[in-house]
Structures are given as C-alpha cells and as structure tokens.
Amino acid sequence: MSTPQPRATVAEIPPYVAGKPPTVRPGMTSYKLSSNENPYPPLPGVVEAVQAGVAAMNRYPDMGSAGLNAALAETFDVPAEHLSVATGSVGLIYQLVQAFCDPGDEVVFAWRSFEAYPIAITAAAATSVQVPVLADGRHDLDAMAAAITDRTKVVLVCTPNNPTGPAVTQAELDAFLARVPSHVLVVVDEAYLEFVRMDDAVDGIATYRRHDNVVLTRTFSKAYGLAGFRVGYAVAPAPIAAALRAVSLPFGVSTIAQAAAVASLERRAELLERVDALVAERDRVVAGLREVGWDVPEPQGNFVWFELGERTGDFAAAADEAGITVRPFAGEGCRVSIGEPEANDRLVSVAAGFTR
Ligand SMILES: *Cc1c(COP(=O)(O)O)cnc(C)c1O
C-alpha cells in the first residue's frame, strides 16, 4: 500500500546538532559553552516587560510587530519598511531561501559555516554550493564570487563566521559586492555583530544603503541574551524586506519575544557593557591559549575555534571531564563559547593538554 511521501529532498536535510547541556557532576559547577549563548541572566527590566506580556497570552501577538519595528527603526536609523522581524535569524534564513529560490537554484556560502544554512537550503529544495574557508578560518570571497553561476540566487556571508571565528573587513566585502551580479541577493549574517572589534569592521547599515541586493540578518539571541525567545530581524531594501514579510509565519514572533526585544533595545547601553566584558574575556582566553601554545583563528564573535581533526572527540571529552560542554564537529574541531570567567579558565587548562 502506498503511503504519503515527503519530497525527495526532505530525506537529504542534514540534522541540526544542538549544543549539549553540561554533564552534572557532584561537587562541581558545570558550564554550557556549546551554543554561543550569553552567560548573563536577563536584565531586571526585561523580565518585567515579559511578565506583562505573559498576562496577555490568550491573545495573538501583534502580527506586524509594530512596537519592535519602531524601536529597531529608531535605534538603527532605518525606515520601518526596511525591516522584517522573525523567529530568530534562522527563521530569516529559511524565509530568504523560500522567497528567492526555486527548486534547484543555487545558494553559495562558505564551509564550514553556520549549520542551519544547508538545512534551510535543502528544506526549500534549493542547492548548496559550499566554498571551503581558508586555512585561517576566513571566507574565501574570491572563490565565492567565482562560484556564482546562472543558477545562483543567494550568497550567504557569515561574519563573524560561526564556527571558525574571523570576520570579513569592509574592504573585502566591498570588493566582493563589486563582483556579485546585481540580481543575486547577498545575505550578510551579522549574528555576532556586537562582538566585533577590528580595524575596517563592516558597517552593515552603510553597506545595505549602498546596494539594492544586500540584506543584513541580525538576532537578539547572542549579544542581547534572548536565545530562548526566538527573535531576530532583517534590514534590507524595501522590496526585499516586503518579500520576507510576505513569506513569514503569521504571528511567528510571540508577544513575550516582542516585549523582551523592545525592552532590550531600551537597555542597549547596559547590554553592550556586558558585551564589552565578554569581549575582554575573549581577549583573556586568546592570550591564555597563546601562552599554552594554541594559536586559534582570530575570534570576532563570542566563541573560539579549535582545529583538532581526529582529536576532536578527545578534546570534547576532556572538556566534559572539566565540567565544560563544548560543541564538537566530528573530525574537524571544537567550537567553544566564551562564558563565565571560571568556565573560560577551565577551557584554557583543557586546551593546554592538546597543543599541536
Ligand atoms: C546563532 C546564529 C544565528 C542566530 O540564530 P537565531 O535563530 O537568531 O537564534 C544566526 N546566524 C549565525 C551564524 C549564528 O551563529
């Protein structure tokens, strides 16, 4: 008897491997460094704003996220028609592929990069074109430009790149954009934007203003510490933002997520101080790693990348022993989030045992 069959590409969707929670060990505090989350608890005012939203759970959320769009428009000085909010920037990636790709159309992106990309692309029956990152974990933008064909509809630039860490410079991005045909959409995934501290850093807003084919995707999950609420936003020229809104899941962003995001934007200065503290911890970890003989790719997000090859599993197990959970990529390496100072200290000790 025949049964309903999903389309063939569904069986090809790679699984999303979520960062594991820490192993509980008696007498030892364990830390989760496997999902690039913000280790700080929510700011007090944010919790209260959310509580007000909780009381209205019998009502659907504001479908247009008017309050959040207005707050974003004001914070980043962009027209509200250039914004589209979604259930995290993963939601935005799905929507972008859905809105711009027919089955078989190509999406070019660096690899290794964010694991949600091939999932979203395959789910839409589009085709992934992966361009290996350079030895130092940077995007090979020349090779990515060369990989664009007549079938290419979208290019994803992940900066800083998850999981390897480096970010592209404005000069590199400008040179790349000059080579991309104007009908190809360039998505600049700025999930870790707030952690970037480098010369010639990308100014995403200035860049999208200069190009009709550039969209920025951003999230409240990382620097803003709202990973559990699923809210992100795109900044794009009006027609692209409109396409994103058209394919969005109706009422996708919950009332409490909208409230938390608005309250977080109101407390942006305070949140960015916490980001500064995490960046200082990142610098401290990099210096500590260098002292014990580890040279990691330049981390511009809230995580560091250890290229470990066959030793990846051993490193993850040793970290687990030490009460920290990292994100292993089998046969490649481990990504470790910057967390509490004690967790970061343990990471440096573990890494000391694994130098090349
Ligand atoms: C974490 C992350 C996101 C954000 O995901 P959300 O769905 O907003 O939680 C997007 N892109 C990259 C590269 C990430 O690492």
Side-chain angles (χ1 to χ4, degrees):
M1 228 166 55
S2 64
T3 55
Q5 293 300 310
R7 58 179 173 188
T9 47
V10 172
E12 292 161 19
I13 298 174
Y16 191 104
V17 183
K20 283 204 186 91
T23 310
V24 179
R25 292 179 193 285
M28 190 197 235
T29 308
S30 300
Y31 297 97
K32 182 174 183 232
L33 304 180
S34 53
S35 297
N36 295 348
E37 292 151 339
N38 194 316
Y40 288 99
L43 289 170
V46 176
V47 172
E48 277 140 32
V50 167
Q51 273 157 353
V54 166
M57 67 169 76
N58 55 313
R59 302 291 177 191
Y60 280 106
D62 169 11
M63 196 166 111
S65 299
L68 177 52
N69 275 312
L72 287 166
E74 153 127 19
T75 304
F76 299 107
D77 191 23
V78 295
E81 315 81 70
H82 289 203
L83 292 163
S84 179
V85 304
T87 54
S89 39
V90 168
L92 291 164
I93 304 293
Y94 271 76
Q95 288 167 233
L96 284 163
V97 177
Q98 193 187 355
F100 288 90
C101 294
D102 285 314
D105 281 345
E106 294 172 357
V107 181
V108 173
F109 56 99
W111 200 252
R112 177 154 294 267
S113 188
F114 187 33
E115 64 181 319
Y117 296 159
I119 298 174
I121 292 161
T122 313
T127 300
S128 290
V129 176
Q130 302 184 338
V131 178
V133 294
L134 298 166
D136 60 3
R138 279 163 214 284
H139 276 42
D140 187 346
L141 290 171
D142 281 335
M144 287 174 69
I148 294 172
T149 71
D150 292 346
R151 291 307 302 262
T152 308
K153 291 286 167 64
V154 177
V155 181
L156 304 167
V157 177
C158 186
T159 181
N161 188 48
N162 173 10
T164 59
V168 307
T169 64
Q170 185 71 55
E172 288 167 345
L173 184 61
D174 288 342
F176 176 70
L177 288 169
R179 289 182 63 183
V180 177
S182 62
H183 67 274
V184 173
L185 181 69
V186 178
V187 181
V188 184
D189 183 340
E190 296 195 291
Y192 301 97
L193 153 83
E194 296 85 356
F195 299 98
V196 174
R197 303 285 184 279
M198 64 192 277
D199 292 339
D200 199 27
V202 166
D203 181 339
I205 300 284
T207 307
Y208 108 92
R209 284 196 182 122
R210 289 195 297 264
H211 297 273
D212 289 336
N213 62 335
V214 170
V215 49
L216 314 174
T217 59
R218 295 177 170 185
T219 180
F220 284 94
S221 296
K222 308 285 163 55
Y224 288 87
L226 301 180
F229 277 179
R230 317 303 306 122
V231 52
Y233 61 99
V235 186
I240 296 170
L244 275 173
R245 288 194 298 270
V247 298
S248 68
L249 187 71
F251 305 110
V253 183
S254 70
T255 303
I256 53 173
Q258 293 181 37
V262 169
S264 297
L265 286 172
E266 283 165 3
R267 290 158 184 79
R268 193 157 169 258
E270 215 173 322
L271 283 168
L272 293 181
E273 274 172 32
R274 291 174 160 195
V275 170
D276 283 340
L278 288 168
V279 168
E281 275 297 290
R282 178 181 78 197
D283 293 347
R284 194 175 71 79
V285 166
V286 170
L289 290 173
R290 203 162 284 149
E291 245 165 63
V292 299
W294 260 105
D295 202 10
V296 292
E298 185 187 345
Q300 289 290 336
N302 63 341
F303 54 91
V304 284
W305 172 248
F306 295 88
E307 202 185 311
L308 290 149
E310 296 307 311
R311 296 184 300 168
T312 297
D314 292 344
F315 187 100
D320 195 66
E321 254 338 281
I324 55 176
T325 311
V326 305
R327 169 69 171 90
F329 294 82
E332 294 178 58
C334 287
R335 186 195 67 202
V336 189
S337 313
I338 298 297
E340 297 82 349
E342 165 68 20
N344 303 333
D345 287 344
R346 290 191 206 171
L347 168 64
V348 175
S349 317
V350 169
F354 280 83
T355 47
R356 276 175 266 207

